[in-house]
Amino acid sequence: MKFVFDLDGTICFNGKPLSNTIVQCLKQLNKNDVIFASARPIRDMLPVLPKDFHSYTLIGGNGALIYQDNKLLHAQTFTEQQLHVILKLIEEQEATFLMDSDWDYVYTGPKDHPIVHNLDQGKLAQHVAVDQLSSVVKILFITMKDYEILFTQLQHLDITVHEHRNEQLIDVSPRNIDKWSALQVLGIKPKSYVAFGNDANDISMFQHAAQAIMIDDHDQLSRFADEHVSYQEDGEKAIVEKIQSIYSETVYI
């Protein structure tokens, strides 16, 4: 049985690296059976993971990027036509955004936005202009004139759209890209893994998991969760205990 972990709000918190408690727990699992799946691009996943986890299987950009053994295995990008339409919406909405390639990025949002704290913490990439990105795998809309109008316009495009209403953020990926699509690229079968997540972008991998564990509470995700663990109430101890409990019950090959 494999274990698939979202990062932010699931096993790492407030933009900080995984705690030693979580790290020691995960080291009890077989490396080949652990997958980290995040909305972050790969470059922003690395700083919150210990160096010996960098060679694990990493799914970034909500499924658009897959790294294994420190190498890019797969990248799904927007087409030129899709980018043309999205850039027009950005202009109409006077939107600010974070635009990611498989490594470098463009950021036009407020300098004091919380997203900045998690942006290229390891100073691994280049902050470039839009026309300098060789490809685009994910766009996060940060500010805009009208959230509802932009969200509706994006939904009409042939792309994958995730909304984060609490933060008033919208992120978009290429068509049919989500965490489950990336797991399929890796050859992962339905009901062959345990998923840990906390947000709407974890729905696809929850739907196909043998067990789906939600950290804290999220209205959209909760209907797909088998169990609920409260970090707010019980902290990391409860998360570690749940991982260890599932591990001990699983025939682990």
Side-chain angles (χ1 to χ4, degrees), residues 64-148:
L65 298 169
I66 305 175
Y67 266 60
Q68 274 187 329
D69 297 319
N70 298 298
K71 296 177 182 177
L72 178 64
L73 178 68
H74 176 79
Q76 186 70 35
T77 64
F78 289 104
T79 66
E80 288 186 14
Q81 177 61 27
Q82 287 170 335
L83 271 180
H84 177 74
V85 174
I86 291 171
L87 288 171
K88 280 193 67 176
L89 292 179
I90 286 172
E91 184 178 355
E92 291 170 6
Q93 280 283 333
E94 299 176 8
T96 63
F97 57 89
L98 170 62
M99 185 178 293
D100 287 307
S101 71
D102 59 24
W103 200 255
D104 295 324
Y105 67 95
V106 180
Y107 180 74
T108 67
K111 293 181 179 180
D112 60 349
H113 195 278
I115 197 73
V116 174
H117 300 304
N118 299 334
L119 180 57
D120 196 22
Q121 291 174 315
K123 306 301 180 187
L124 303 173
Q126 297 292 320
H127 182 189
V128 299
V130 172
D131 59 6
Q132 292 177 288
L133 289 181
S134 58
S135 60
V136 178
V137 302
K138 181 173 177 285
I139 304 169
L140 175 69
F141 292 89
I142 299 169
T143 64
M144 65 289 296
K145 288 197 297 187
D146 191 304
Y147 180 96
E148 297 297 341

Side-chain angles (χ1 to χ4, degrees), residues 149-211:
I149 289 176
L150 178 59
F151 179 67
T152 300
Q153 290 172 321
L154 291 168
Q155 284 189 305
H156 290 155
L157 305 181
D158 191 21
I159 60 176
T160 302
V161 183
H162 293 291
E163 62 172 333
H164 308 273
R165 285 190 175 272
N166 291 343
E167 299 89 357
Q168 287 290 287
L169 303 174
I170 305 169
D171 71 62
V172 297
S173 304
R175 179 177 180 266
N176 294 331
I177 289 298
D178 52 37
K179 293 180 181 182
W180 168 238
S181 72
L183 291 172
Q184 289 178 287
V185 170
L186 291 166
I188 307 299
K189 303 298 184 185
K191 309 302 181 184
S192 68
Y193 64 94
V194 178
F196 285 74
N198 79 312
D199 207 345
N201 56 23
D202 297 313
I203 289 174
S204 65
M205 70 175 187
F206 269 38
Q207 288 176 306
H208 301 278
Q211 284 182 268

Side-chain angles (χ1 to χ4, degrees), residues 20-57:
N20 186 59
T21 300
I22 295 288
V23 169
Q24 294 308 313
C25 173
L26 297 181
K27 283 185 174 181
Q28 297 174 29
L29 310 179
N30 187 316
K31 170 186 174 179
N32 294 328
D33 289 332
V34 175
I35 299 171
F36 298 106
S38 176
R40 294 180 181 227
I42 303 297
R43 61 146 203 276
D44 289 344
M45 294 175 70
L46 298 181
V48 300
L49 296 171
K51 286 189 176 179
D52 51 349
F53 283 12
H54 289 187
S55 61
Y56 281 44
T57 299

Side-chain angles (χ1 to χ4, degrees), residues 243-251:
I243 295 170
Q244 292 174 334
S245 172
I246 295 173
Y247 173 78
S248 67
E249 294 169 1
T250 303
V251 178

